[in-house]
Amino acid sequence: MDATSLLAYFDPLMQWLKEANADDCLGWECETFAADYMKNEYEITTSYLYNQATIAEWNYETNLTDANGQNSTEWSVKVANHIKQSWEEYITQFEYETFVDESLKRQFELLQTLGVAALSEEDLTNRTTVINNMMNQYSSAKICPYQKPSCKDEEKLALEPDIESILATSTDYDELNYVW
């Protein structure tokens, strides 16, 4: 028996199936593509963006100016946009549960949750601005000394070094409770 006539009959269907599946990777091909994407694109870009965001946050935390706060917010938004775009275009496209490489499978599993990157740009900007404002208030807040609850502005104690020193050295429970 010869299957030539059956192959000829189903040839148009086979050609169509090959074309339809040409862009989809199956099995090992997908895992290889996912590993290449993670190593050569995602990790490089994400590391750079997180590094820049960390530098911007450090600059703001060590020098609480509006410009540094704005820069910190901008980098946070850039990181979130990159994470969201990568998630939409790549991360969700793989069936990572079928990956053989456990490390790669775990990376994709962890990246399934977007976190704050799921927020709109406006909401993320508002969130970062609120956090920066809270940090600014916390870092620049002052209180009157325990012995003088009503004091002038110039007599007030700052977090560093005044309040930290009291918390580190005082043994007076009431003073510690007041400062805390």
Side-chain angles (χ1 to χ4, degrees), residues 19-86:
E19 289 174 21
N21 291 321
D23 293 334
D24 295 338
C25 55
L26 303 169
W28 181 251
E29 294 172 23
C30 275
E31 187 167 351
T32 303
F33 179 75
D36 287 344
Y37 168 72
M38 289 301 289
K39 181 180 177 184
N40 298 321
E41 291 181 48
Y42 184 82
E43 290 178 6
I44 292 170
T45 304
T46 305
S47 293
Y48 170 77
L49 290 171
Y50 271 120
N51 187 11
Q52 294 303 308
T54 302
I55 290 169
E57 287 174 25
W58 173 259
N59 288 338
Y60 180 66
E61 289 180 20
T62 58
N63 185 11
L64 297 170
T65 64
D66 289 339
N68 284 342
Q70 180 64 31
N71 191 35
S72 175
T73 300
E74 288 172 7
W75 279 106
S76 294
V77 169
K78 286 178 186 179
V79 168
N81 286 339
H82 168 69
I83 300 289
K84 189 185 300 184
Q85 180 182 4
S86 297

Side-chain angles (χ1 to χ4, degrees), residues 167 172-180:
L167 290 171
D172 182 349
Y173 174 82
D174 291 328
E175 181 181 30
L176 291 170
N177 190 37
Y178 170 81
V179 170
W180 182 256

Side-chain angles (χ1 to χ4, degrees), residues 122-142:
E122 179 183 351
D123 288 343
L124 183 62
T125 300
N126 289 340
R127 176 188 180 275
T128 307
T129 302
V130 167
I131 290 171
N132 286 347
N133 288 341
M134 289 170 51
M135 188 181 335
N136 192 351
Q137 286 181 348
Y138 175 77
S139 297
S140 61
K142 294 184 176 190

Side-chain angles (χ1 to χ4, degrees), residues 154-180:
E154 58 270 4
E155 298 173 319
K156 290 186 176 184
L157 305 174
L159 176 63
E160 291 180 357
D162 305 323
I163 296 172
E164 283 185 355
S165 175
I166 292 170
L167 290 171
T169 61
S170 178
T171 57
D172 182 349
Y173 174 82
D174 291 328
E175 181 181 30
L176 291 170
N177 190 37
Y178 170 81
V179 170
W180 182 256

